[in-house]
Amino acid sequence: MNQDKNFSEEEWNNRVNLAACYHLADHFGWSDIIWNHITTKTSKNKNTFLINRFGLRYDEITASNLLEIDLNGKVVSGEGDINYTGFVIHGAIHNAKKNVHCVMHTHSRAGLAISCLKMGLEPIIQDAAMFHNRVSYHDWEGMSTNTEECERLSNSLGDNKVMILRNHGLLTCGETISEAFVLMYYLERACKNQLDTYSTGLELNKPSSNLLEYAAGQYEDPIFKTGKNEWPALLRLLDKKKSIYNQ
């Protein structure tokens, strides 16, 4: 669909890709009825970010019905309300991490299970090596409705792009929407693999820490820029499904 003239080209592109991200999360089974959030900065010239309207399922979200909110959680563009916990979690990171364009949070089955394990995530497969010593943790403080938790959330994240919210779920962020999504894809896979592998009760063949660090460094090579190559294929998937996201 053509660009909505109410938005700049940059903002419209961000809206379309963010709405696509919601639809993809639903496709891969990461949605939670009307809960959870994915956010992105509105544009380079605005100190605001885009978030889903409270009450909509992920598959109902479109580029035009996303809400624009400021760093105080106030809706400045669009009709509807937000779930305040989305502002607390996402606003904290958008406000503190200027290089973060997108933040994604899920309550998936595998993610919730790993978030309850004291050991946390244990990367033991190739696709999980990218998370070796690159995952942060934030202790559960109850429902995220207290703005005082904002600073603690961003401090817990540190310089990483992946965080496990203990007893709560998963969080990824990226310099692009595609990076945040694909990080979540592989994080989900790592969580599922850990649960599947340990459920066998058999002796594990664990890669050494040195090998995992070497592989993690390989993933940081610009040629493997997370999300860049996968995103066009994922958008084609939505188009094949005739998902309505870009209007």
Side-chain angles (χ1 to χ4, degrees), residues 1-234:
M1 184 175 178
N2 294 331
Q3 175 187 336
D4 188 316
K5 300 303 182 183
N6 292 316
F7 309 111
S8 67
E9 181 178 359
E10 180 190 4
E11 179 175 342
W12 182 248
N13 286 336
N14 286 335
R15 284 175 170 272
V16 168
N17 283 293
L18 181 58
C21 196
Y22 275 100
H23 283 249
L24 287 165
D26 186 66
H27 171 80
F28 285 102
W30 307 337
S31 56
D32 191 8
I33 312 178
I34 60 171
W35 306 102
N36 290 346
H37 319 87
I38 315 169
T39 59
T40 192
K41 289 183 177 177
T42 307
S43 67
K44 295 176 183 176
N45 298 323
K46 290 185 174 182
N47 198 24
T48 59
F49 60 96
L50 303 170
I51 193 170
N52 52 318
R53 190 174 80 203
F54 184 58
L56 294 182
R57 301 187 312 270
Y58 274 21
D59 63 301
E60 295 179 298
I61 294 169
T62 65
S64 57
N65 67 30
L66 287 162
L67 301 181
E68 179 185 1
I69 66 175
D70 62 22
L71 295 179
N72 294 313
K74 178 183 178 182
V75 175
V76 296
S77 176
E79 297 182 2
D81 299 316
I82 65 167
N83 177 11
Y84 193 70
T85 61
F87 161 69
V88 172
I89 296 172
H90 294 245
I93 298 172
H94 282 297
N95 189 37
K97 311 295 181 183
K98 302 307 178 184
N99 64 325
V100 169
H101 183 65
C102 179
V103 180
M104 186 169 188
H105 173 47
T106 63
H107 289 174
S108 66
R109 180 176 177 177
L112 287 171
I114 294 299
S115 78
C116 295
L117 298 181
K118 194 170 187 64
M119 70 186 299
L121 182 72
E122 184 176 21
I124 51 178
I125 56 172
Q126 175 175 289
D127 290 342
M130 66 174 73
F131 304 121
H132 178 64
N133 289 333
R134 290 158 176 80
V135 177
S136 300
Y137 292 85
H138 179 74
D139 288 336
W140 188 45
E141 299 185 23
M143 296 287 284
S144 300
T145 57
N146 188 344
T147 55
E148 293 180 0
E149 188 181 359
C150 289
E151 186 175 353
R152 292 190 291 274
L153 269 163
S154 60
N155 287 340
S156 294
L157 179 63
D159 294 327
N160 291 324
K161 293 183 177 179
V162 172
M163 183 159 66
I164 293 177
L165 306 176
R166 292 195 181 277
N167 310 97
H168 184 173
L170 306 178
L171 183 144
T172 61
C173 53
E175 297 173 20
T176 62
I177 295 169
S178 57
E179 181 182 26
F181 180 86
V182 174
L183 280 173
M184 184 63 77
Y185 177 87
Y186 286 111
L187 182 60
E188 274 287 325
R189 175 179 285 185
C191 290
K192 288 178 180 178
N193 172 262
Q194 182 173 335
L195 296 172
D196 290 344
T197 304
Y198 273 92
S199 71
T200 67
L202 301 175
E203 184 178 0
L204 304 186
N205 181 38
K206 297 183 181 181
S208 69
S209 180
N210 286 343
L211 180 55
L212 285 168
E213 184 60 38
Y214 170 72
Q218 288 180 304
Y219 278 106
E220 291 171 349
D221 189 308
I223 196 173
F224 293 115
K225 184 63 177 176
T226 305
K228 178 181 178 181
N229 298 311
E230 297 94 339
W231 196 245
L234 289 167

